[in-house]
Structure formats: structure tokens, C-alpha cells
């Protein structure tokens, strides 16, 4: 089972395309939607929905996958639910770069302080990160510097922030999921 979390633009047709591409790895791809506007509510909702999906699945190696803001949530929710994560261009600091786009960006800071201390150290090797060299929204060099101590990072030469085409990484994701 692969759980897919969209980014800030939940209505992008690219979400459906990524779900279809992920089905080459696993027939059971579940799209979990969330508001993107209310971080505390989103966290509760995502924890409940992901936990329920895991409980209803017999897959011994479920994985959660997200793009942008969905990558932010995939890392945290995946860690809290004990499953592996795959992040595409994760937005690691929405409290800084989502000002004016969401109602309460400061809630992300609150979530960070309430999360398990040093969770990335405890999550080491349970997350795979794919970063685009052509991300027009985020500085992925900074993202890499923040995550490279904990996770394997793959650089993509062609995709933009929304990562429309992930097929070139499906074999790597499949190997990561099933090891």
C-alpha cells in the first residue's frame, strides 16, 4: 500500500498522474486529502486517516509519499505511524514560506516543538528524499543540507517543484518500499 499526500495545490491534475504512476509499484494507492489551511486540524486528520489505512491493509511494507507540503506531512505522519516515507521536494518550513497562504502558519512551529525530539535521528534510513534541481519554489540545496545526515537523497535533473513525472524513480521507490 502507498498512501499519497498532495501538496498545497490539492486540485492539481498532477496529483492524479502521480497516483497512476505509483500504481506501477503497488495497485493499492490511497489518496488522502487534507485542508492545507489549518495545520493542527490537518495533523489530527492525517494521523487518523493514515492509521486507519494501515490497520485496514495487510501490506507488510506500507509507505507514505508526498510532494511539497505533502512531503512535510509524509515525513512526520509516517514517522508517527511507523511506516517508511518518500518525499518529493518537501516543504520543510511552511511556517516561513506559507505566510499569507494559510490561516495560521505559526501552528507549524507549534507542531515542531511538540513533535518527538530529534525525530529525524530516530527516523534515520526510513525516509527517501527526491529533490529537483529545477525547483522554482524551494531552495532544495538547503533542504538537502538539512536532511542528508538522516536520509538518502536522489537529485532529479528535469522536474519542477510539483514533480509531474516520477516514473524515472519508481524502481528506486519500489526497492526502498520492499526492503
Amino acid at each position: 500500500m502507498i498512501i499519497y499526500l498532495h501538496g498545497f495545490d490539492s486540485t492539481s491534475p498532477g496529483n492524479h498522474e502521480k497516483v497512476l504512476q505509483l500504481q506501477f509499484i503497488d495497485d493499492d494507492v490511497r489518496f488522502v486529502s487534507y485542508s492545507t489551511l489549518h495545520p493542527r486540524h490537518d495533523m489530527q486528520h492525517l494521523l487518523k486517516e493514515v492509521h486507519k489505512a494501515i490497520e485496514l491493509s495487510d501490506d507488510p511494507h506500507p509507505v507514505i509519499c508526498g510532494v511539497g507540503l505533502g512531503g512535510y506531512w509524509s515525513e512526520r505522519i509516517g514517522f508517527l505511524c511507523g511506516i517508511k516515507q518518500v518525499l518529493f521536494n518537501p516543504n520543510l518550513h511552511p511556517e516561513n514560506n506559507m505566510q499569507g497562504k494559510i490561516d495560521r502558519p505559526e501552528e507549524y512551529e507549534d507542531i515542531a516543538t511538540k513533535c518527538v525530539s530529534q525525530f529525524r535521528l530516530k527516523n534515520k534510513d526510513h525516509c527517501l528524499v527526491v529533490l529537483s534541481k529545477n525547483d522554482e519554489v524551494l531552495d532544495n540545496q538547503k533542504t538537502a543540507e538539512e536532511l542528508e545526515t538522516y536520509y538518502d537523497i536522489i537529485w532529479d535533473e528535469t522536474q519542477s517543484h510539483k514533480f509531474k513525472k516520477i516514473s524515472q524513480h519508481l524502481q528506486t521507490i519500489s526497492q526502498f518500499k520492499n526492503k
Side-chain angles (χ1 to χ4, degrees):
M1 172 183 63
I2 298 173
I3 299 165
Y4 176 79
L5 303 183
H6 59 78
F8 181 69
D9 181 4
S10 63
T11 61
S12 169
N15 289 317
H16 181 67
E17 292 172 18
K18 283 186 276 295
V19 167
L20 291 175
Q21 292 172 64
L22 289 168
Q23 287 177 336
F24 283 104
I25 297 173
D26 193 316
D27 289 341
D28 187 7
V29 178
R30 302 179 190 199
F31 183 89
V32 177
S33 189
Y34 58 102
S35 78
T36 73
L37 300 177
H38 308 289
R40 281 193 195 131
H41 176 266
D42 289 343
M43 184 160 185
Q44 289 177 326
H45 171 72
L46 288 169
L47 275 169
K48 183 181 111 192
E49 292 300 312
V50 170
H51 180 71
K52 183 169 51 174
I54 294 167
E55 291 290 311
L56 295 174
S57 173
D58 59 357
D59 186 339
H61 305 288
V63 69
I64 188 168
C65 176
V67 179
L69 187 60
Y72 171 90
W73 287 117
S74 292
E75 183 188 22
R76 280 156 182 77
I77 302 298
F79 169 74
L80 292 171
C81 290
I83 63 174
K84 290 181 178 178
Q85 313 102 50
V86 177
L87 318 179
F88 288 92
N89 294 333
N91 182 349
L92 300 182
H93 297 286
E95 69 277 9
N96 297 330
N97 56 35
M98 300 294 284
Q99 299 286 336
K101 293 181 180 179
I102 62 174
D103 286 347
R104 295 179 288 273
E106 68 279 0
E107 287 184 3
Y108 286 108
E109 288 181 66
D110 189 46
I111 288 166
T113 62
K114 287 184 172 48
C115 203
V116 176
S117 64
Q118 299 181 340
F119 86 96
R120 287 191 176 126
L121 185 61
K122 296 171 183 170
N123 196 40
K124 191 171 174 66
D125 301 324
H126 286 94
C127 185
L128 177 66
V129 182
V130 185
L131 299 174
S132 171
K133 288 192 174 182
N134 298 316
D135 190 324
E136 71 283 6
V137 176
L138 301 171
D139 181 346
N140 278 338
Q141 191 56 51
K142 286 183 181 178
T143 301
E145 290 167 9
E146 191 169 336
L147 298 179
E148 65 192 357
T149 303
Y150 310 102
Y151 311 140
D152 287 339
I153 295 178
I154 298 168
W155 285 97
D156 185 281
E157 300 287 336
T158 59
Q159 294 301 300
S160 65
H161 177 70
K162 288 189 178 187
F163 237 104
K164 195 172 187 176
K165 182 179 171 224
I166 62 171
S167 58
Q168 66 276 27
H169 302 291
L170 292 180
Q171 185 174 3
T172 304
I173 295 168
S174 180
Q175 290 168 349
F176 174 74
K177 177 186 182 310
N178 294 309
K179 73 174 180 178

